[in-house]
Amino acid sequence: MPKTLIEPFRIKSIEPIRMTTRAERERLLEEAKLNVFKLHAEDVLIDWLTDSGTGAMSSRQWGAIMEGDESYAGARSFYRLEAVIQKITGMNFFVPTHQGRAAEKVLFTAVCKQGDVVPNNCHFDTTRANLEYLGVDARDLVIAEGLQPSLIHPFKGNIDLERVEALLKEQGDRIPFGMITVTNNTGGGQPVSMANIRAYAALLKQHGKPFIMDVCRFSENAMFIKMREPGYEHTPIRDIVKEMFSYADAATMSAKKDGMVNIGGFIVLRREEWMDAVRNVLILTEGFPTYGGLAGRDLEALAVGLEEGMDEDYLRYRLRTAEYLGERLEAAGVGFVRPTGGHAVYLDARTVLPDMPVAHYPAWALCNALYLEGGIRGVEIGSVMFGKRLDDGTETYHSMELVRLAFPRRMYTQSHFDYAAEVIDEVKQQAAGIRGVRITKQPPFLRHFTCKCAWVDR
């Protein structure tokens, strides 16, 4: 039996990559104020900024697009997608949104108030920002192992049940619901075990609190459960997914991940209790409840993509891709979050740039170095994204300094990953010459998207 795991698809259409020189990239990064978000995509050789909406759709999805019903209200495309989501999640009440952060904004606006506290394993950037914008305390309660990049643990995305229970006892009157993110993006794309989901749901139910899952990578999480959790080795992915959803009262999704589409998201609820409030906010901000900011063709593509994203051959290849890059990095002595996650590999900037002070934002500096050396665009998951500048001018810093290399689905081949491993190794060898940055201008929320930076003097 061959050992090489091949891509479970054939390439039907291609997009050329524009090659750039080191001198060009130095100029382009300066023009972008040392913020890779501000680069033009055509100036990036390998774009691993995000796996959100950046993948390749299948021939079945492109065919479904032609079936899109663009009626404003009651389009058949909505009812087709509704039926697919109801079958997958077991929940009856569904509204589409144009992407995940819109789903968060709609749901949180409908059910949260200033002064609330929302526990999660780790809130990602838009989830945290949408809660904090409403005056809600977004509390990260991932297990201790989830904050130690080099430590091997099969489910580093698990929520710390003891800390959750303590929070429920101390501040239960302030908690409108509990959340969990699968897989845990902030902590390295790490999965959550079924046992942890089940226990967390039971704990919340004991205290009368609804349980909401952020499920943008639910299929990848299900595959990790199949591969790592005793008792699920022979369980079909669809059955694992069904059980995961059975414990939740609601879910939000950026469908641009495991929905395999370029745009889209949704909210799904088990009970009708919140539905009127959700619909009202949706109509005000997104659109009528049967299109929610999406074209009918997008709804059709998502209905197909959700099914394709649960294909076990695809998921096995997807997870193995990240594992392969991790093996190349380990051989080169590059630190990363171990074991590798499903959608990305997270470089540990503190191991690549051990002498750089956190005040110079080492993960941000590493992002810049990867672009300069090889035209690779990743994203910082560190103190620019999750730190804050306080009113007195001091900074708070994140517990980890990571660079996420997030892989668009069905888009890059093995040679791209081999090239990336070589670039990362080169950057590691040049660590002593890599410069840190300082922030010269920033907005009050989600500063990493638009902040301007300058080099720190040597």
Side-chain angles (χ1 to χ4, degrees):
M1 183 72 178
K3 295 181 180 180
T4 300
L5 184 64
I6 65 171
E7 289 87 350
F9 52 82
R10 292 189 294 264
I11 296 170
K12 199 166 187 175
S13 180
I14 64 163
E15 177 184 358
I17 294 173
R18 188 179 84 81
M19 300 299 179
T20 56
T21 66
R22 170 75 184 229
E24 283 181 289
R25 294 194 292 270
E26 288 176 353
R27 174 181 58 81
L28 292 166
L29 189 60
E30 289 279 2
E31 291 174 355
K33 304 300 181 184
L34 310 187
N35 185 340
V36 296
F37 276 99
K38 294 176 177 288
L39 293 167
H40 290 196
E42 65 181 6
D43 296 325
V44 177
L45 273 69
I46 296 182
D47 202 346
W48 289 346
L49 181 76
T50 181
D51 63 319
S52 180
T54 54
M57 290 201 299
S58 70
S59 56
R60 285 187 60 224
Q61 287 178 291
W62 283 108
I65 281 174
M66 299 306 295
E67 298 291 327
D69 178 359
E70 306 304 340
S71 301
Y72 185 92
R76 65 176 178 273
S77 298
F78 167 82
Y79 295 107
R80 169 164 159 67
L81 176 59
E82 181 183 54
V84 169
I85 289 175
Q86 287 173 341
K87 180 180 178 182
I88 291 172
T89 68
M91 301 187 207
N92 288 327
F93 302 99
F94 151 74
V95 293
T97 61
H98 81 273
Q99 62 183 65
R101 72 193 62 181
E104 294 165 352
K105 178 179 175 59
V106 169
L107 183 60
F108 298 162
T109 300
V111 303
C112 293
K113 65 181 184 303
Q114 186 172 356
D116 281 350
V117 177
V118 172
N120 201 336
N121 49 0
C122 289
H123 297 82
F124 199 56
D125 56 355
T126 61
T127 319
R128 175 175 293 280
N130 271 309
L131 287 168
E132 291 181 346
Y133 184 77
L134 296 171
V136 177
D137 180 1
R139 199 72 62 86
D140 288 352
L141 300 176
V142 71
I143 58 173
E145 293 89 338
L147 299 175
Q148 302 174 56
S150 63
L151 182 69
I152 299 293
H153 185 287
F155 293 102
K156 292 172 79 170
N158 283 355
I159 198 164
D160 188 325
L161 297 170
E162 290 186 6
R163 294 168 69 198
V164 171
E165 186 169 22
L167 183 65
L168 286 164
K169 289 178 178 178
E170 294 167 8
Q171 302 185 56
D173 58 330
R174 297 176 58 197
I175 298 174
F177 52 79
M179 287 195 77
I180 204 162
T181 305
V182 294
T183 56
N184 186 30
N185 194 359
T186 303
Q190 297 295 308
V192 181
S193 72
M194 191 73 81
N196 190 249
I197 292 171
R198 186 186 305 117
Y200 184 35
L203 183 58
L204 290 169
K205 185 175 182 179
Q206 178 184 335
H207 289 264
K209 305 298 180 183
F211 177 28
I212 298 177
M213 296 175 68
D214 176 345
V215 296
C216 58
R217 298 179 182 88
F218 72 91
S219 295
E220 292 177 10
N221 199 88
M223 190 64 183
F224 277 121
I225 289 173
K226 182 180 180 73
M227 294 169 63
R228 296 180 182 174
E229 191 161 359
Y232 290 92
E233 301 91 337
H234 306 296
T235 307
I237 289 296
R238 290 172 184 272
D239 291 345
I240 296 173
V241 166
K242 185 176 181 180
E243 183 179 349
M244 284 169 54
F245 277 107
S246 73
Y247 299 117
D249 297 293
T252 60
M253 182 173 188
S254 170
K256 297 161 68 176
K257 284 83 168 178
D258 278 359
M260 314 288 274
V261 289
N262 304 127
I263 197 70
F266 62 81
I267 301 166
V268 63
L269 307 171
R270 190 167 301 281
R271 292 179 290 276
E272 201 171 5
E273 178 185 358
W274 290 341
M275 197 61 177
D276 285 345
V278 164
R279 282 198 187 104
N280 290 338
V281 178
L282 185 87
I283 291 170
L284 181 65
T285 60
E286 290 287 293
F288 194 72
T290 57
Y291 79 90
L294 292 172
R297 56 184 174 268
D298 299 321
L299 301 174
E300 292 283 355
L302 177 53
V304 175
L306 286 167
E307 298 279 0
E308 291 184 345
M310 292 187 290
D311 179 79
E312 292 192 23
D313 288 334
Y314 157 74
L315 287 168
R316 191 172 293 106
Y317 146 79
R318 173 79 170 160
L319 272 57
R320 174 59 189 147
T321 300
E323 188 178 50
Y324 173 78
L325 181 57
E327 290 168 357
R328 291 289 308 267
L329 298 179
E330 186 172 13
V334 175
F336 58 95
V337 175
R338 304 176 65 200
T340 50
H343 70 288
V345 168
Y346 291 63
L347 306 180
D348 183 359
R350 285 177 169 153
T351 67
V352 181
L353 305 174
D355 298 325
M356 184 174 290
V358 68
H360 294 175
Y361 305 112
W364 194 271
L366 181 55
C367 265
N368 288 339
L370 292 174
Y371 178 71
L372 291 174
E373 180 63 27
I376 298 171
R377 178 160 66 170
V379 68
E380 186 253 23
I381 310 283
S383 294
V384 177
M385 181 180 286
F386 288 113
K388 291 182 181 179
R389 183 166 294 175
L390 304 178
D391 292 339
D392 62 4
T394 61
E395 286 270 342
T396 64
Y397 299 106
H398 189 47
S399 56
M400 295 186 286
E401 290 290 326
L402 307 177
V403 172
R404 186 188 70 178
L405 304 176
F407 315 134
R409 290 159 181 81
R410 304 184 292 202
M411 189 168 173
Y412 290 102
T413 64
Q414 181 173 333
S415 63
H416 294 104
F417 287 86
D418 289 334
Y419 170 83
E422 293 170 5
V423 169
I424 296 165
D425 187 23
E426 285 291 325
V427 168
K428 182 178 184 294
Q429 304 308 318
Q430 301 166 12
I434 293 174
R435 301 172 67 181
V437 302
R438 57 186 175 85
I439 299 174
T440 60
K441 186 176 182 180
Q442 61 179 302
F445 293 97
L446 297 170
R447 65 181 182 176
H448 54 292
F449 286 124
T450 58
C451 69
K452 296 179 181 180
C453 299
W455 298 118
V456 172
D457 294 334
R458 293 188 188 278

